[in-house]
Amino acid sequence: MTDELRLILLGLAVAVLGAALGWLVRSSLWRRGLRRRQSFFGLPPSAECLLVVDREAGAAEFTVTRHDVFALLELSPLIKECGAHAQVHGHDAPLQSLGERTEFCVGGPESSRRMALHLRSLLPGVRVHSDPELGPRHGEFRIGSETYPMEQGVTEYVLLARLTAGEGPEERPAFLFCGQRAITHQAAARYLARHHQRLHRRYGRRPFVLLLKVVNSQAYGPDVVELVADVTRKARTAPAKSAKDGKDGKSEKDGKSDKSEKGEKSEA
């Protein structure tokens, strides 16, 4: 065997060994990333999850808006990558309690009973003004003491939340996409799909509630999204009664007692 042939064989061996090591490293990193995604979304292989959608406002029959369908399409690749299976349900269908299966709930409290239930039980610090008679304040978010009005097509807000009913390792999370308009649901779903790795690094399996702002949707659709704030603490804390309310309640009771006492004296 000549020296040239030995060098060729040695080069081939090094190339094969390098390719094998590179494949092993990439495969290890991919599996590690997959386990992180599965942990973050609560979707182990062959698990089932729920996609809960609301109905289009004003529709006679159950109809899903176009942007809510797009929101589900944003989530579908994430579910497929985790090796899980999804079931689509309407917001008013009888479903299992929170924690049984991972849930992706899309819609506002006005059009989704399931979302309204989640807000009441899990996010008591959030108020959504859904009464049309409020005029410009219709759809306004109130989180703690801050308000976030909607300017349709220009500035719209949406809550993206990961919540659990308990702290156990087997507890499955619920992801909420609660916005002022249907297009904001698609924007929040796209934000989650793009930034779930960063969110996992920051929060792990802990709950979070993020307030997102969709900018100029009439021109850019759901593409321009800004993170306004992490409102986890405010959203999960029920608003306390003000001291004024307590004083008013006390004075009202005192007034009633005074009146009753006067009445008793007059009868005597």
Side-chain angles (χ1 to χ4, degrees):
M1 182 180 295
T2 63
D3 293 340
E4 293 181 355
L5 184 57
R6 289 195 187 93
L7 291 175
I8 292 174
L9 293 176
L10 181 60
L12 289 174
V14 170
V16 171
L17 181 60
L21 289 175
W23 179 84
L24 289 174
V25 170
R26 288 194 299 270
S27 178
S28 177
L29 292 175
W30 179 83
R31 285 195 297 269
R32 183 180 178 184
L34 177 61
R35 287 193 297 269
R36 287 181 174 178
R37 283 195 298 274
Q38 291 171 338
S39 174
F40 178 73
F41 290 108
L43 293 174
S46 301
E48 289 187 353
C49 67
L50 300 175
L51 295 174
V52 184
V53 291
D54 62 352
R55 63 174 177 83
E56 185 174 4
E61 299 180 355
F62 188 88
T63 306
V64 182
T65 65
R66 180 168 58 96
H67 288 292
D68 284 347
V69 173
F70 290 158
L72 299 184
L73 292 176
E74 298 282 354
L75 300 171
S76 295
L78 298 175
I79 299 170
K80 186 176 181 181
E81 287 176 3
C82 293
H85 309 286
Q87 295 182 359
V88 181
H89 290 273
H91 68 100
D92 53 355
L95 301 173
Q96 294 176 333
S97 59
L98 184 65
E100 300 267 339
R101 290 179 287 180
T102 295
E103 177 181 337
F104 299 90
C105 188
V106 178
E110 183 180 5
S111 57
S112 172
R113 295 180 187 174
R114 185 73 171 178
M115 182 63 73
L117 174 65
H118 286 324
L119 292 184
R120 284 196 302 268
S121 59
L122 301 175
L123 301 178
V126 176
R127 293 289 183 271
V128 181
H129 297 158
S130 56
D131 189 353
E133 295 181 358
L134 292 174
R137 295 185 61 195
H138 175 64
E140 180 182 82
F141 281 1
R142 183 177 183 87
I143 305 174
S145 60
E146 301 292 331
T147 57
Y148 302 91
M150 173 183 65
E151 188 176 355
Q152 187 168 334
V154 179
T155 303
E156 296 148 331
Y157 295 93
V158 57
L159 289 173
L160 169 61
R162 182 192 189 276
L163 303 170
T164 55
E167 301 295 335
E170 300 299 324
E171 197 74 22
R172 299 288 182 256
F175 290 87
L176 308 185
F177 307 85
C178 177
Q180 294 175 329
R181 291 181 64 215
I183 194 171
T184 64
H185 303 153
Q186 181 187 357
R190 182 173 295 181
Y191 184 92
L192 178 65
R194 290 178 176 177
H195 302 285
H196 65 85
Q197 293 180 347
R198 180 172 60 84
L199 294 174
H200 180 267
R201 285 195 297 268
R202 180 174 180 180
Y203 298 103
R205 293 173 56 87
R206 293 181 288 113
F208 62 80
V209 185
L210 304 180
L211 179 66
L212 307 177
K213 180 170 67 175
V214 182
V215 180
N216 203 4
S217 63
Q218 62 185 352
Y220 306 122
D223 291 333
V224 183
V225 180
E226 298 177 0
L227 174 60
V228 178
D230 181 332
V231 295
T232 306
R233 180 175 298 179
K234 292 181 180 179
R236 301 185 71 193
T237 304
K241 293 183 178 180
S242 64
K244 182 179 179 181
D245 294 337
K247 291 179 181 178
D248 292 342
K250 184 178 179 181
S251 61
E252 184 179 353
K253 291 181 181 178
D254 293 342
K256 289 182 179 179
S257 61
D258 292 342
K259 289 180 181 178
S260 62
E261 288 177 1
K262 290 180 180 178
E264 290 175 0
K265 288 180 180 180
S266 62
E267 288 177 1

